[in-house]
Amino acid sequence: MEQTIEVGLGERSYPICIGSKVLAQIGPALQDKQVGKRYAIISDDQVAALYGEALLHSLTKAGLACELITFPHGEASKNLATIGQLASALAEQGFDRKDALIALGGGVTGDITGFLAAIYMRGIPFVQVPTTLLAQVDSSVGGKTGVDIPQGKNLIGCFYQPQAVFIDTDVLSTLPREEFLGGMAEVIKYGASIDAEFFTWLGENRPSILALDATSIIYMVRRCCEMKADVVEQDEREGGLRRILNFGHTIGHAVEAASGYQLIHGFAVAIGMQAVAELAVRAGIAPLACATAINELLLAYELPVTIPKDYSAEALRGYLQTDKKTVGGRVFFVLPEGVGKVRITDAIAEVHLDAVLAGQPLA
């Protein structure tokens, strides 16, 4: 059931391999590609316990030298201190510019490993092996890397493309349900912002998706990767078009930061999507039916849709101002015009934004 699509970026193009039992094929694939002389698998302690040995076995069986280096799981580890600790571990074990990194884990691991690869020895190759739905459909593709600082999420980072992405959909069977549902927020993002037919498909195929039906999951992951790849090929460094992939993320990141990063990313994005849908209705950009449709699909996948009442509008505004998508003090929003079509604008009346951040219901 393995399928491959290409992210076409000229000399920096790379394949995304999607399917069942892909984990066992990574060693032979890396042997063929000769990405590195030696490999450091970077993983958090939870994922390493589940899949570290399997990936080590795949590489060593293919005759590749490899080491497993772990860090504590969770968003709290996504910082410069972790980067420093991992870099020191690489240096102590003698990794050099001819070696490569493998990101085995979710979005946090992928962001950390990609950033580490970009700056260690001024740049070494890396590959992505995403183990969460969110990472499989979004963060592992496109080359965004980075870490958080107290002032906001992903404020330190760079664009650095992987050499390959290996997506084994079988690993989703061990993903906690909350994390799977959080990943579905990113999946819904693609339908709501780019592909109305896919949005409808998600509603119609909810039972098979939640049951982890292999055919449905592989199609879903592939379709998301196709959309992400298409956007990245046209706008690798987020100069324009790629910003549509931030649908739900501007307010979502503010909500996530206001929670002290206790709210998982996907849940924050779900809240952010509903918020911008309501913002679009208030601004006269989208019909009420659009916000209703997005609300219903998010709820169908058991996702939160309202900003917690104890998150003050003032605090959220502060996080919006420090978001990396803010330009010249102007906050840009990706707003739906209808399901599957969005626009990027900073021309939003303060009264409308205040109403949304305060959780005022639509009339």
Side-chain angles (χ1 to χ4, degrees):
M1 298 178 74
E2 181 185 328
Q3 304 175 25
T4 301
I5 61 177
E6 187 88 1
V7 181
L9 292 170
E11 292 181 353
R12 288 170 293 101
S13 297
Y14 54 92
I16 306 172
C17 178
I18 306 163
S20 173
K21 297 179 174 55
V22 165
L23 207 60
Q25 303 168 33
I26 294 174
L30 291 179
Q31 182 67 275
D32 290 343
K33 283 181 68 69
Q34 295 186 323
V35 173
K37 173 173 59 70
R38 183 178 170 213
Y39 294 88
I41 301 169
I42 309 295
S43 186
D44 72 39
D45 47 14
Q46 288 188 339
V47 174
L50 289 168
Y51 299 111
E53 286 301 320
L55 186 53
L56 282 169
H57 178 71
S58 178
L59 268 65
T60 55
K61 189 177 179 182
L64 300 173
C66 54
E67 302 289 341
L68 177 62
I69 301 174
T70 65
F71 63 91
H73 66 277
E75 186 79 25
S77 287
K78 191 176 164 183
N79 54 47
L80 288 170
T82 301
I83 293 292
Q85 291 160 8
L86 292 172
S88 292
L90 291 174
E92 287 170 0
Q93 296 187 42
F95 279 86
D96 61 33
R97 295 188 70 181
K98 293 186 180 298
D99 299 323
L101 306 183
I102 300 175
L104 174 66
V108 169
T109 299
D111 283 0
I112 287 174
T113 306
F115 187 49
L116 177 62
I119 61 176
Y120 185 73
M121 299 278 179
R122 296 192 174 91
I124 63 174
F126 85 109
V127 300
Q128 291 270 20
V129 184
T131 59
T132 65
L133 179 61
L134 187 150
Q136 290 184 354
V137 301
D138 191 69
S139 60
S140 67
V141 178
K144 277 189 177 182
T145 75
V147 295
D148 306 333
I149 58 176
Q151 289 74 21
K153 188 176 172 69
N154 297 324
L155 291 185
I156 297 179
C158 61
F159 290 94
Y160 195 68
Q161 300 293 343
Q163 298 295 305
V165 181
F166 298 99
I167 298 175
D168 190 332
T169 52
D170 293 349
V171 304
L172 297 177
S173 64
T174 59
L175 193 65
R177 182 176 176 81
E178 180 182 76
E179 293 290 340
F180 181 84
L181 295 175
M184 284 305 304
E186 293 284 2
V187 173
I188 291 169
K189 173 193 76 175
Y190 287 103
S193 61
I194 298 175
D195 187 344
E197 288 187 12
F198 183 62
F199 186 90
T200 300
W201 181 87
L202 291 172
E204 293 173 344
N205 290 273
R206 176 181 167 278
S208 62
I209 291 168
L210 292 180
L212 299 183
D213 170 72
T215 301
S216 296
I217 293 293
I218 290 173
Y219 169 76
M220 182 178 79
V221 172
R222 179 190 173 111
R223 183 69 194 108
C224 290
C225 288
E226 286 173 342
M227 286 187 268
K228 180 75 176 275
D230 181 59
V231 171
V232 170
E233 287 167 3
Q234 297 178 66
D235 179 20
E236 181 182 0
R237 292 180 175 267
E238 204 168 77
L241 176 67
R242 185 167 176 172
R243 290 192 292 174
I244 68 173
L245 296 175
N246 290 323
F247 181 68
H249 285 62
T250 302
I251 292 178
H253 279 169
V255 169
E256 192 174 3
S259 77
Y261 300 106
Q262 296 305 300
L263 189 68
I264 67 169
H265 178 69
F267 284 10
V269 168
I271 292 170
M273 281 192 284
Q274 187 58 37
V276 291
E278 293 183 9
L279 189 58
V281 174
R282 290 180 183 276
I285 293 171
L288 179 60
C290 171
T292 300
I294 291 172
N295 180 269
E296 289 176 350
L297 189 59
L298 291 171
L299 290 175
Y301 280 96
E302 302 168 40
L303 290 163
V305 293
T306 57
I307 297 172
K309 293 188 183 300
D310 56 340
Y311 294 8
S312 75
E314 183 181 0
L316 292 169
R317 270 190 171 280
Y319 286 116
L320 287 175
Q321 287 297 327
T322 58
D323 189 90
K324 67 184 187 301
K325 296 177 286 298
T326 297
V327 180
R330 299 293 296 177
V331 181
F332 284 81
F333 296 95
V334 184
L335 301 182
E337 296 180 351
V339 172
K341 185 179 181 182
V342 295
R343 76 166 69 165
I344 301 167
T345 181
D346 66 344
I348 293 298
E350 297 291 319
V351 63
H352 296 322
L353 179 58
D354 287 342
V356 168
L357 296 182
Q360 295 177 12
L362 286 168

